[in-house]
Amino acid sequence: MVRIKKESPDRPDNTAFTQQRLPAWQPILSAGIVIPGFVLIGLAFIGVGVGLFITSRDIQVLEIDYTGTDQTSDCNKCTNPNTKNCVCTLSFNIDTLFKGPVFFYYGLTNYFQNHRRYGVSRDYKQLYGDLANFKDPSTDCAPYRLDSRNNPIVPCGSVANSLFNDTFKLYQIVNGQRNVVPFDGKGIAWWTDYNVKFKNPDVTPLQNAFNGTVKPLFWTKAVYELDFSDPSNNGFINQDFLVWMRRAALPNFRKLYRRIAEENYTNGLPAGNYSLEISYNYPVLSFNGRKKVVFSNVSWMGGKNDFLGIAYLVIGSLCVVMSVVMLIVYAKFKFPEDD
Amino acid sequence: MTWRSPLALVRDALQGQRAREKELRSLTSNLPHEGQGRGTQPNRFFSSNAIKTTKYSLLFFIPMNLFEQFHRLANIYFVGLAILNFIPVVNAFQPEVALIPICVILSLTALKDAWEDFRRYQSDRRVNNMPCFIYSRKQKRFVERRWKDVRVGDFVKVVCNEIVPADLLLLYSSEPNGVCHIETANLDGETNLKQRTVVSGVCTTDRGFEPESFNSTVVCEKPNNNLNHFKCFVEKPNKEKLGAGIESLLLRGCTVRNTGHAVGFVVYAGHETKSMLNNGGSRSKRSKLERKLNIDVFFCVILLFTMCLVGSVGHYMWLESRTGSPPYLLPDSRSNSLASFHMFFTMIILLQILIPISLYLSIELVKIGQIFFIVNDIDLYDEETDSCMQCRALNITEDLGQIDYVFSDKTGTLTENKMVFRRCTIMGTEFPHKENAIRLAVLDEPESEEEIIFNQRPHSSQTAWSFEGEDAGPMDMHRRGQKKSKVVGTARSDVAFSSPLETEVVPDQNLVRQISRAESRGGSQRTDPYLDFFLALTICNTVVVSRATARRQRAGLSPCSSQTNNSFEALSDLVKKASLLIQRKSSRFRAQSQGPVIDSVRMESPADTNGLSPSVRPTAPAGSENLYYEAESPDEAALVHAARAYGFVLLARTPKNVSVRLPSGQVLDFEVLDVLTFDSNRKRMSVLVRHPITKECVLYTKGADFAIMELLGTPYAENLSKSHKNIASDTQRHLDGYAKEGFRTLCIAKKVVSEDEYRRWLVSRKSAQAAIEQKEQLIMDTAVQMETNLTLLGATGIEDRLQENVPDTTVALREAGIHVWVLTGDKLETAVNIGYACRLLEDEDLLISMSCKNKVTCTSSLDCNLEEMRRYSENPQNVGTIPNISLVIDGHTLAMVLSPDLQDRFVDLAKRCRTVLCCRMTPLQKSAVVKLVRDKLKVMTLAVGDGANDVNMIQAADVGVGISGQEGMQAVMASDFAISRFKHLKKLLLVHGHWCYTRLANMIIYFFYKNVAYVNLLFWYQFFCGFTGTAMIDYWLMIFFNLFFTSTPPIMFGIFDKDVSAEVLLGVPELYRTGQGKGEYNFLTFWISILDAFYQSLVGFFIPYWVYKDSDVDIFTFGTPLNTISLFTMLLHLSIEIKSWTVVHWIIMLGSVGLYFGVTLAYSAICVNCNPPSNAYWVLQSQMGDPMFYLVCTISTLVALLPRYTFHVLKNSISPSPLLQGRELDRMDPSTRDQWIREWRGFRGGGGGQVKRYQLSPPPSPTQETPVDFRPEFLNSAEATSDDFSLNVTTQRPVYT
């Protein structure tokens, strides 16, 4: 190939960049330099750790297993899969005031909502209110896409199908009287799920949109029947449904069921005896799962978690110890430049 | 286009194929067929002149490029995975998502390829559209066309300074004698003019050339890529055959110079031209690092399979433990084992990035960056030749940092290949030229100021005259050009033949007296050995006399033909042109054909064609001082300059005539009867002249001492009869002395040929020249026939000066742990002396000299030396020290030790030696030695050379370095890196090599770490999701994470990181050793980083796990802190590794963090339902509103990095590595730094062992100018052991002047 000669000489540019002489910061990690850093980090961590630990210790948690494996439990009667519409009652008592707002969770163990194929099995468009996907749900939903008569299932898919359907009622026993503790079911799901991600089809009445579709196989009532009383909590934007649809990360999880922050209970649950009436529907014993309810109040750091506080304390202390080690090392092996 | 039957087309294609494949092609003029259809064109089968170097066409770019890219195994792997993902039972992601990474990688590579191809296309188009003149029959003249229109069989006219569009058979030239000069710089980088002559007998008219009358057939061979060979004959209608060779071929790409215009017949066009056939692709080598890298990729594959197996087995066990039918388990017709089997593949897809997909692309990008910085290093730029460093191989930069052995050529590599006349001996009397030596010593004094008045083209020459035995290769290359520089004080900028260093010789007063005595005795009337000696120096060569103005004109672009009236100018120019007839390479073909024409009158020919423009020519007075000598070999020029210093001035040279001015002022015109050119078999050349006064035929011969000594007949009879016996032996003694001093020696002899003898010889000579078969052999035989019974006149010693800073460089390389071997064609003594001069050999060294006649002695000497060596190293006193033993071996012995049964022993011996000098090597032996060391010792080798004879060795070595110096471009063409001076090797290896290696090694380690750490997060999660292949990080973010968020920092790290500054690396060459052998990228560092990755991923997964355990966290909310933690862990991990932070580092690191948050936030905000099943909507936003997020990220990142950080700190404090100490030096101010370097090295040198007894001055630094102390120092160990080496061991003392 013919090269066209350049007129200008090929002398490279003598710039800091091309000659790799850009001003540079060249930190050298040695004991002497890092001691202050270690001390600072250590102290800061200990401080944070103490704060976290105290906060976490102040959080009250009450966990009650109601699976019913225990013979003495009232729910034991419901463990028989043939029992329909079983209701059992759990009694417990609270010694001191359970500071409010109290969050009421249900918990499942050994339940793999993070199973990959389980998670895939849903149709976002359908849940977004797209009527086309009512007629023809996404293939992702298989095998919960069509029922045996080829009617489309709405909401389709495995996640929706396995919706947790135990319901709870809490009573405070005051002088033998059962006072209903009011539950607040608003805003327990993510705001974005409720307002953006999930939408009911723009059809009134809502159930008309579901003509020609069938409810999920495991369900006893259709999605538009989840909460007849409140149209803003019905259909796909039903809070319980939303909470369920947000898959848990780990096989032992809890999900927010209700908040207790109303009427006489704005300050929390006063000390006393309580009775929890459970409509026991969801089978877990077959796969060695557990069900439980959890009362917890929350702080800025969320639920109770001692681990983080302890971790901060341990690491903080470790850093302080390290700084002492560094000091020894520094004294012993002074780097020449420090002479 | 007219329609033609398909049958005809097929037939045509077949015919074309046959015509192209034929060994001989018959070409006829296109002119009779001009304007007719293509089918009737006689030369239609041969390729047209339009070139296409693009790899791809617009239409087929995508398929072709993909095909190209799939040659890379990694790409196939990833495509395979992507396809796997389309199989429903095993898919892990949405199938389309899995395609993204491979598509991005493929399209980035394709983009790069497309851009490169587009540049080729543009260049092709530019070339194809260059104008040229093609003869048109219709218009009866040459019309302007484009290059692409040129076809085989056309007549093309080229004018001065125009580039030849195709390979043309030269039929006509406007110059007398039918000569056309071309410059082949575009082909081989040689800037000298080459001469081409028209095919004799074709153009018979005087009125210029008429293409239409050309009715002959040109028969030429099939196209080949040999630039120096061409076979062809022109068959006239009367069946007369006119032979033609390369001397009549104008090659495409050459530039026509000094010729008004020329007309040629196109024999090859386009891709069939020699220059295009020579256009090989760029070299592709695999570096050592990459070979290791592939092993580690293999480890990664094993790791991946293990992890997938764990996932598969885990899934099976998980499924088995599922009793009942949990609602989260989809009904599945597959058995558990089948599902687990499928899960294996799902896991492969999920964990695929364990095999770093972007690593290969990143390495390529890093290397581009590294090369950019190497090429742009101003320290590797040579002012004189205006040449930068060239990186010809793009993928072995890091090999430069791992070199163990350097094999160096001597002439032109260690030395300047610029010859300086030092001494001579005449008639057995030595003239030491002390004054000259003093002058040279003064010139050697280093002085910083130098002044280059003006630069022109590099001027260099070739050592056709060297007696190195190196001339076997195509050495008939040389360069000419001119560069004139005024040099004050230093030898640095002296350029070939025009620097005072070489041109000025201070005469030896004794010799001057001898000459004046001889002149006064009878002047030129009588023959006197002294006068003869200098006449021989002046005449017996092929030096061309020229003037600065003439040469400047050639370099410039002045018009080629114009009139001049200045007779002297005209003369000298004419002389120059005429002399071109016999010069250089063409001399081998042609010089003999110049029959003797008796004309001893000085030429006063009208200067109508000399090509000098009056505007360019200065009106300088014409004097002998304006003469410039251009020689094929620097030796010749040195001799001519030496003779000139004694008053014997070569005034002019034509093929038939040589003018010499004697000290008395008298001008003698010698008629040149014949020139017996140099060849490497005879090792001598002769010129046969007729003495203008005595009318005798005199043969002057010069050549290698052994080539001359055996041809001596009667000694010089006339004057010195009493001592004639001793002349030869005295001269030989002097010659041995010269050789010991490292001079190149030449013997000068003379013979007076009687008229009868000459006539008889002439007959055989002519018949030899007329011969067709074995012409060259016959011509050589006649030369041998003539060169008998010579009379020895004397001998000369010429010094080939070392290049600047060579000793410094070799010492630095040695301290860097690199063994430097010199492989030279020179004599043993010369090589040894060069060895001392460039400090390869030290005074106290033991020198094992192996020069054996037969294999038996060779074997015994090898065994004996080896035994001594072993005994030495087994001696407890010497543990850990390497004796300063050097081996010198000659080519003959080497041939024996290279035999399979001895080579192991030789290698064993050689590796114990500090340096090895191999002398009298053939190019093939050079490469054999390199290969032997490379393969037997499993070391990294580098070969550096400048000449064609080094090409083999350059190609054999792991890294080939060419020096673009005095001997053409072949070495450079074959090399991976081209530098212009040997000293550049120091910075290239010690600084750039080290940097490139550490950068790339650390980057690759980091890359593996990064991928393993990230993939492990996914892997740990599998334990909590039933090994079902769930990813807790959104797929897109996962892909972005690898492709965008964390890909730039390691690339930047690989390009910009600077562990130790260049000054310290140069000052402390020992730092280079960190890269040798296993280097920083080895088994240990790889696995440590993999373990670290495991640890970090465990921390990064389980701290969030413990925090979020039993909470209501959802998958992606859980994944977000994990992703963020790994981002910060990886970036901060890199920050620990980064040794120097420039603004680029800050921008990229902070940019990566910004990009992560920016893209993730934007993605989380925009993507509501865009890619099921992932669900990242508003996840990061909600997390960032949660203080826990920050707390978790902080502690996890800190805990993840704490061990590495602490390890670094403790290691740096307790046992700092040499590199760290180097970095400490960086922080000092220069003066204390130098102090430190000195002390440190003194310490290391004394105790460290390998650089034992290093007592040189400290390495050069800007602040120091300590003179180098060369006094020999004998050390005890050397003396103590020297007695043991009784056989073949000589202790050499350096001879330094």
Side-chain angles (χ1 to χ4, degrees), chain A residues 11 19-20 114 197 249 305 335, chain B residues 383 1021 1030 1058 1107 1168 1175 1224:
Chain A
R11 190 188 176 88
Q19 300 309 311
Q20 306 189 59
N114 54 15
K197 238 179 141 58
N305 191 319
F335 203 71
Chain B
E383 293 272 357
Y1021 189 60
T1030 311
K1058 210 159 89 171
V1107 169
V1168 180
N1175 187 359
E1224 288 286 346

mmCIF file with all atom_site columns, all heavy atoms in Angstrom, chain A residues 11 19-20 114 197 249 305 335, chain B residues 383 1021 1030 1058 1107 1168 1175 1224:
data_model
loop_
_atom_site.group_PDB
_atom_site.id
_atom_site.type_symbol
_atom_site.label_atom_id
_atom_site.label_alt_id
_atom_site.label_comp_id
_atom_site.label_asym_id
_atom_site.label_entity_id
_atom_site.label_seq_id
_atom_site.pdbx_PDB_ins_code
_atom_site.Cartn_x
_atom_site.Cartn_y
_atom_site.Cartn_z
_atom_site.occupancy
_atom_site.B_iso_or_equiv
_atom_site.pdbx_formal_charge
_atom_site.auth_seq_id
_atom_site.auth_comp_id
_atom_site.auth_asym_id
_atom_site.auth_atom_id
_atom_site.pdbx_PDB_model_num
ATOM 1   N N   . ARG A 1 11   ? 7.490   13.541  15.910 1.00 0.00 ? 11   ARG A N   1
ATOM 2   C CA  . ARG A 1 11   ? 7.835   13.726  17.318 1.00 0.00 ? 11   ARG A CA  1
ATOM 3   C C   . ARG A 1 11   ? 6.587   13.644  18.184 1.00 0.00 ? 11   ARG A C   1
ATOM 4   O O   . ARG A 1 11   ? 5.596   14.324  17.946 1.00 0.00 ? 11   ARG A O   1
ATOM 5   C CB  . ARG A 1 11   ? 8.474   15.091  17.481 1.00 0.00 ? 11   ARG A CB  1
ATOM 6   C CG  . ARG A 1 11   ? 9.084   15.304  18.829 1.00 0.00 ? 11   ARG A CG  1
ATOM 7   C CD  . ARG A 1 11   ? 9.530   16.752  18.973 1.00 0.00 ? 11   ARG A CD  1
ATOM 8   N NE  . ARG A 1 11   ? 10.026  16.947  20.328 1.00 0.00 ? 11   ARG A NE  1
ATOM 9   C CZ  . ARG A 1 11   ? 11.277  16.729  20.676 1.00 0.00 ? 11   ARG A CZ  1
ATOM 10  N NH1 . ARG A 1 11   ? 12.139  16.346  19.787 1.00 0.00 ? 11   ARG A NH1 1
ATOM 11  N NH2 . ARG A 1 11   ? 11.656  16.892  21.918 1.00 0.00 ? 11   ARG A NH2 1
ATOM 12  N N   . GLN A 1 19   ? 3.129   11.621  28.223 1.00 0.00 ? 19   GLN A N   1
ATOM 13  C CA  . GLN A 1 19   ? 4.365   11.139  28.840 1.00 0.00 ? 19   GLN A CA  1
ATOM 14  C C   . GLN A 1 19   ? 4.094   10.502  30.193 1.00 0.00 ? 19   GLN A C   1
ATOM 15  O O   . GLN A 1 19   ? 5.011   10.217  30.955 1.00 0.00 ? 19   GLN A O   1
ATOM 16  C CB  . GLN A 1 19   ? 5.363   12.285  28.979 1.00 0.00 ? 19   GLN A CB  1
ATOM 17  C CG  . GLN A 1 19   ? 5.743   12.909  27.659 1.00 0.00 ? 19   GLN A CG  1
ATOM 18  C CD  . GLN A 1 19   ? 6.179   11.865  26.636 1.00 0.00 ? 19   GLN A CD  1
ATOM 19  O OE1 . GLN A 1 19   ? 6.998   11.021  26.935 1.00 0.00 ? 19   GLN A OE1 1
ATOM 20  N NE2 . GLN A 1 19   ? 5.613   11.927  25.443 1.00 0.00 ? 19   GLN A NE2 1
ATOM 21  N N   . GLN A 1 20   ? 2.849   10.319  30.513 1.00 0.00 ? 20   GLN A N   1
ATOM 22  C CA  . GLN A 1 20   ? 2.448   9.663   31.758 1.00 0.00 ? 20   GLN A CA  1
ATOM 23  C C   . GLN A 1 20   ? 3.039   10.357  32.968 1.00 0.00 ? 20   GLN A C   1
ATOM 24  O O   . GLN A 1 20   ? 3.534   9.736   33.884 1.00 0.00 ? 20   GLN A O   1
ATOM 25  C CB  . GLN A 1 20   ? 2.854   8.183   31.741 1.00 0.00 ? 20   GLN A CB  1
ATOM 26  C CG  . GLN A 1 20   ? 2.338   7.455   30.510 1.00 0.00 ? 20   GLN A CG  1
ATOM 27  C CD  . GLN A 1 20   ? 2.551   5.968   30.622 1.00 0.00 ? 20   GLN A CD  1
ATOM 28  O OE1 . GLN A 1 20   ? 2.065   5.328   31.530 1.00 0.00 ? 20   GLN A OE1 1
ATOM 29  N NE2 . GLN A 1 20   ? 3.273   5.410   29.669 1.00 0.00 ? 20   GLN A NE2 1
ATOM 30  N N   . ASN A 1 114  ? -39.021 -17.475 46.438 1.00 0.00 ? 114  ASN A N   1
ATOM 31  C CA  . ASN A 1 114  ? -37.960 -17.066 45.507 1.00 0.00 ? 114  ASN A CA  1
ATOM 32  C C   . ASN A 1 114  ? -37.590 -18.165 44.521 1.00 0.00 ? 114  ASN A C   1
ATOM 33  O O   . ASN A 1 114  ? -36.589 -18.086 43.845 1.00 0.00 ? 114  ASN A O   1
ATOM 34  C CB  . ASN A 1 114  ? -36.727 -16.616 46.297 1.00 0.00 ? 114  ASN A CB  1
ATOM 35  C CG  . ASN A 1 114  ? -36.259 -17.676 47.277 1.00 0.00 ? 114  ASN A CG  1
ATOM 36  O OD1 . ASN A 1 114  ? -36.671 -18.840 47.187 1.00 0.00 ? 114  ASN A OD1 1
ATOM 37  N ND2 . ASN A 1 114  ? -35.422 -17.296 48.207 1.00 0.00 ? 114  ASN A ND2 1
ATOM 38  N N   . LYS A 1 197  ? -47.713 0.023   39.634 1.00 0.00 ? 197  LYS A N   1
ATOM 39  C CA  . LYS A 1 197  ? -47.429 -1.257  39.027 1.00 0.00 ? 197  LYS A CA  1
ATOM 40  C C   . LYS A 1 197  ? -48.671 -2.101  38.782 1.00 0.00 ? 197  LYS A C   1
ATOM 41  O O   . LYS A 1 197  ? -48.734 -2.831  37.800 1.00 0.00 ? 197  LYS A O   1
ATOM 42  C CB  . LYS A 1 197  ? -46.463 -2.029  39.940 1.00 0.00 ? 197  LYS A CB  1
ATOM 43  C CG  . LYS A 1 197  ? -45.175 -2.421  39.243 1.00 0.00 ? 197  LYS A CG  1
ATOM 44  C CD  . LYS A 1 197  ? -44.260 -3.147  40.177 1.00 0.00 ? 197  LYS A CD  1
ATOM 45  C CE  . LYS A 1 197  ? -43.567 -4.280  39.451 1.00 0.00 ? 197  LYS A CE  1
ATOM 46  N NZ  . LYS A 1 197  ? -42.784 -3.898  38.301 1.00 0.00 ? 197  LYS A NZ  1
ATOM 47  N N   . ALA A 1 249  ? -37.591 -12.564 49.729 1.00 0.00 ? 249  ALA A N   1
ATOM 48  C CA  . ALA A 1 249  ? -36.249 -12.901 49.264 1.00 0.00 ? 249  ALA A CA  1
ATOM 49  C C   . ALA A 1 249  ? -35.773 -14.226 49.805 1.00 0.00 ? 249  ALA A C   1
ATOM 50  O O   . ALA A 1 249  ? -34.989 -14.916 49.172 1.00 0.00 ? 249  ALA A O   1
ATOM 51  C CB  . ALA A 1 249  ? -35.271 -11.796 49.669 1.00 0.00 ? 249  ALA A CB  1
ATOM 52  N N   . ASN A 1 305  ? -33.487 -6.103  65.024 1.00 0.00 ? 305  ASN A N   1
ATOM 53  C CA  . ASN A 1 305  ? -32.343 -6.775  64.423 1.00 0.00 ? 305  ASN A CA  1
ATOM 54  C C   . ASN A 1 305  ? -31.119 -6.498  65.273 1.00 0.00 ? 305  ASN A C   1
ATOM 55  O O   . ASN A 1 305  ? -30.530 -5.437  65.195 1.00 0.00 ? 305  ASN A O   1
ATOM 56  C CB  . ASN A 1 305  ? -32.136 -6.278  62.986 1.00 0.00 ? 305  ASN A CB  1
ATOM 57  C CG  . ASN A 1 305  ? -31.144 -7.136  62.266 1.00 0.00 ? 305  ASN A CG  1
ATOM 58  O OD1 . ASN A 1 305  ? -30.137 -7.533  62.840 1.00 0.00 ? 305  ASN A OD1 1
ATOM 59  N ND2 . ASN A 1 305  ? -31.430 -7.456  61.031 1.00 0.00 ? 305  ASN A ND2 1
ATOM 60  N N   . PHE A 1 335  ? 9.409   2.509   58.828 1.00 0.00 ? 335  PHE A N   1
ATOM 61  C CA  . PHE A 1 335  ? 9.917   2.584   57.463 1.00 0.00 ? 335  PHE A CA  1
ATOM 62  C C   . PHE A 1 335  ? 11.000  3.650   57.385 1.00 0.00 ? 335  PHE A C   1
ATOM 63  O O   . PHE A 1 335  ? 10.910  4.655   58.066 1.00 0.00 ? 335  PHE A O   1
ATOM 64  C CB  . PHE A 1 335  ? 8.765   2.878   56.506 1.00 0.00 ? 335  PHE A CB  1
ATOM 65  C CG  . PHE A 1 335  ? 9.081   2.448   55.121 1.00 0.00 ? 335  PHE A CG  1
ATOM 66  C CD1 . PHE A 1 335  ? 9.145   1.108   54.800 1.00 0.00 ? 335  PHE A CD1 1
ATOM 67  C CD2 . PHE A 1 335  ? 9.368   3.380   54.151 1.00 0.00 ? 335  PHE A CD2 1
ATOM 68  C CE1 . PHE A 1 335  ? 9.473   0.703   53.533 1.00 0.00 ? 335  PHE A CE1 1
ATOM 69  C CE2 . PHE A 1 335  ? 9.693   2.972   52.884 1.00 0.00 ? 335  PHE A CE2 1
ATOM 70  C CZ  . PHE A 1 335  ? 9.740   1.633   52.568 1.00 0.00 ? 335  PHE A CZ  1
ATOM 71  N N   . GLU B 2 383  ? 15.683  11.942  17.656 1.00 0.00 ? 383  GLU B N   1
ATOM 72  C CA  . GLU B 2 383  ? 15.697  13.219  16.944 1.00 0.00 ? 383  GLU B CA  1
ATOM 73  C C   . GLU B 2 383  ? 16.309  13.064  15.561 1.00 0.00 ? 383  GLU B C   1
ATOM 74  O O   . GLU B 2 383  ? 15.808  13.584  14.579 1.00 0.00 ? 383  GLU B O   1
ATOM 75  C CB  . GLU B 2 383  ? 16.547  14.226  17.720 1.00 0.00 ? 383  GLU B CB  1
ATOM 76  C CG  . GLU B 2 383  ? 15.995  14.638  19.056 1.00 0.00 ? 383  GLU B CG  1
ATOM 77  C CD  . GLU B 2 383  ? 15.055  15.822  18.929 1.00 0.00 ? 383  GLU B CD  1
ATOM 78  O OE1 . GLU B 2 383  ? 14.915  16.325  17.803 1.00 0.00 ? 383  GLU B OE1 1
ATOM 79  O OE2 . GLU B 2 383  ? 14.485  16.220  19.950 1.00 0.00 ? 383  GLU B OE2 1
ATOM 80  N N   . TYR B 2 1021 ? -26.762 -17.245 46.951 1.00 0.00 ? 1021 TYR B N   1
ATOM 81  C CA  . TYR B 2 1021 ? -28.218 -17.094 47.017 1.00 0.00 ? 1021 TYR B CA  1
ATOM 82  C C   . TYR B 2 1021 ? -28.930 -18.383 46.652 1.00 0.00 ? 1021 TYR B C   1
ATOM 83  O O   . TYR B 2 1021 ? -30.037 -18.644 47.139 1.00 0.00 ? 1021 TYR B O   1
ATOM 84  C CB  . TYR B 2 1021 ? -28.668 -15.943 46.097 1.00 0.00 ? 1021 TYR B CB  1
ATOM 85  C CG  . TYR B 2 1021 ? -30.114 -15.582 46.275 1.00 0.00 ? 1021 TYR B CG  1
ATOM 86  C CD1 . TYR B 2 1021 ? -30.589 -15.138 47.514 1.00 0.00 ? 1021 TYR B CD1 1
ATOM 87  C CD2 . TYR B 2 1021 ? -31.025 -15.696 45.243 1.00 0.00 ? 1021 TYR B CD2 1
ATOM 88  C CE1 . TYR B 2 1021 ? -31.915 -14.819 47.708 1.00 0.00 ? 1021 TYR B CE1 1
ATOM 89  C CE2 . TYR B 2 1021 ? -32.351 -15.377 45.425 1.00 0.00 ? 1021 TYR B CE2 1
ATOM 90  C CZ  . TYR B 2 1021 ? -32.786 -14.941 46.661 1.00 0.00 ? 1021 TYR B CZ  1
ATOM 91  O OH  . TYR B 2 1021 ? -34.099 -14.625 46.841 1.00 0.00 ? 1021 TYR B OH  1
ATOM 92  N N   . THR B 2 1030 ? -32.531 -18.651 40.743 1.00 0.00 ? 1030 THR B N   1
ATOM 93  C CA  . THR B 2 1030 ? -33.075 -17.302 40.865 1.00 0.00 ? 1030 THR B CA  1
ATOM 94  C C   . THR B 2 1030 ? -31.925 -16.310 41.064 1.00 0.00 ? 1030 THR B C   1
ATOM 95  O O   . THR B 2 1030 ? -30.967 -16.599 41.773 1.00 0.00 ? 1030 THR B O   1
ATOM 96  C CB  . THR B 2 1030 ? -34.000 -17.215 42.086 1.00 0.00 ? 1030 THR B CB  1
ATOM 97  O OG1 . THR B 2 1030 ? -34.905 -18.297 42.034 1.00 0.00 ? 1030 THR B OG1 1
ATOM 98  C CG2 . THR B 2 1030 ? -34.741 -15.900 42.118 1.00 0.00 ? 1030 THR B CG2 1
ATOM 99  N N   . LYS B 2 1058 ? 0.573   3.289   37.654 1.00 0.00 ? 1058 LYS B N   1
ATOM 100 C CA  . LYS B 2 1058 ? 2.023   3.452   37.629 1.00 0.00 ? 1058 LYS B CA  1
ATOM 101 C C   . LYS B 2 1058 ? 2.522   3.050   38.988 1.00 0.00 ? 1058 LYS B C   1
ATOM 102 O O   . LYS B 2 1058 ? 2.393   3.804   39.935 1.00 0.00 ? 1058 LYS B O   1
ATOM 103 C CB  . LYS B 2 1058 ? 2.323   4.921   37.343 1.00 0.00 ? 1058 LYS B CB  1
ATOM 104 C CG  . LYS B 2 1058 ? 3.598   5.149   36.606 1.00 0.00 ? 1058 LYS B CG  1
ATOM 105 C CD  . LYS B 2 1058 ? 3.590   6.483   35.920 1.00 0.00 ? 1058 LYS B CD  1
ATOM 106 C CE  . LYS B 2 1058 ? 4.118   7.586   36.798 1.00 0.00 ? 1058 LYS B CE  1
ATOM 107 N NZ  . LYS B 2 1058 ? 4.305   8.835   36.092 1.00 0.00 ? 1058 LYS B NZ  1
ATOM 108 N N   . VAL B 2 1107 ? -28.843 -9.492  58.299 1.00 0.00 ? 1107 VAL B N   1
ATOM 109 C CA  . VAL B 2 1107 ? -29.619 -8.288  58.606 1.00 0.00 ? 1107 VAL B CA  1
ATOM 110 C C   . VAL B 2 1107 ? -31.071 -8.457  58.172 1.00 0.00 ? 1107 VAL B C   1
ATOM 111 O O   . VAL B 2 1107 ? -31.996 -8.097  58.898 1.00 0.00 ? 1107 VAL B O   1
ATOM 112 C CB  . VAL B 2 1107 ? -28.980 -7.060  57.918 1.00 0.00 ? 1107 VAL B CB  1
ATOM 113 C CG1 . VAL B 2 1107 ? -29.910 -5.857  57.996 1.00 0.00 ? 1107 VAL B CG1 1
ATOM 114 C CG2 . VAL B 2 1107 ? -27.648 -6.738  58.554 1.00 0.00 ? 1107 VAL B CG2 1
ATOM 115 N N   . VAL B 2 1168 ? -41.221 0.078   34.692 1.00 0.00 ? 1168 VAL B N   1
ATOM 116 C CA  . VAL B 2 1168 ? -42.301 -0.363  35.580 1.00 0.00 ? 1168 VAL B CA  1
ATOM 117 C C   . VAL B 2 1168 ? -42.530 -1.858  35.378 1.00 0.00 ? 1168 VAL B C   1
ATOM 118 O O   . VAL B 2 1168 ? -42.395 -2.660  36.296 1.00 0.00 ? 1168 VAL B O   1
ATOM 119 C CB  . VAL B 2 1168 ? -43.589 0.418   35.307 1.00 0.00 ? 1168 VAL B CB  1
ATOM 120 C CG1 . VAL B 2 1168 ? -44.678 -0.054  36.242 1.00 0.00 ? 1168 VAL B CG1 1
ATOM 121 C CG2 . VAL B 2 1168 ? -43.340 1.900   35.477 1.00 0.00 ? 1168 VAL B CG2 1
ATOM 122 N N   . ASN B 2 1175 ? -38.258 -7.151  38.732 1.00 0.00 ? 1175 ASN B N   1
ATOM 123 C CA  . ASN B 2 1175 ? -39.188 -6.184  39.275 1.00 0.00 ? 1175 ASN B CA  1
ATOM 124 C C   . ASN B 2 1175 ? -38.397 -5.198  40.090 1.00 0.00 ? 1175 ASN B C   1
ATOM 125 O O   . ASN B 2 1175 ? -38.410 -5.223  41.302 1.00 0.00 ? 1175 ASN B O   1
ATOM 126 C CB  . ASN B 2 1175 ? -40.206 -6.932  40.145 1.00 0.00 ? 1175 ASN B CB  1
ATOM 127 C CG  . ASN B 2 1175 ? -41.289 -6.019  40.604 1.00 0.00 ? 1175 ASN B CG  1
ATOM 128 O OD1 . ASN B 2 1175 ? -41.289 -4.837  40.295 1.00 0.00 ? 1175 ASN B OD1 1
ATOM 129 N ND2 . ASN B 2 1175 ? -42.222 -6.582  41.357 1.00 0.00 ? 1175 ASN B ND2 1
ATOM 130 N N   . GLU B 2 1224 ? 8.651   4.272   47.540 1.00 0.00 ? 1224 GLU B N   1
ATOM 131 C CA  . GLU B 2 1224 ? 9.080   5.194   48.583 1.00 0.00 ? 1224 GLU B CA  1
ATOM 132 C C   . GLU B 2 1224 ? 10.085  6.192   48.017 1.00 0.00 ? 1224 GLU B C   1
ATOM 133 O O   . GLU B 2 1224 ? 10.062  7.370   48.343 1.00 0.00 ? 1224 GLU B O   1
ATOM 134 C CB  . GLU B 2 1224 ? 9.727   4.416   49.741 1.00 0.00 ? 1224 GLU B CB  1
ATOM 135 C CG  . GLU B 2 1224 ? 8.752   3.621   50.588 1.00 0.00 ? 1224 GLU B CG  1
ATOM 136 C CD  . GLU B 2 1224 ? 7.939   4.531   51.499 1.00 0.00 ? 1224 GLU B CD  1
ATOM 137 O OE1 . GLU B 2 1224 ? 8.298   5.702   51.663 1.00 0.00 ? 1224 GLU B OE1 1
ATOM 138 O OE2 . GLU B 2 1224 ? 6.924   4.043   52.038 1.00 0.00 ? 1224 GLU B OE2 1
#
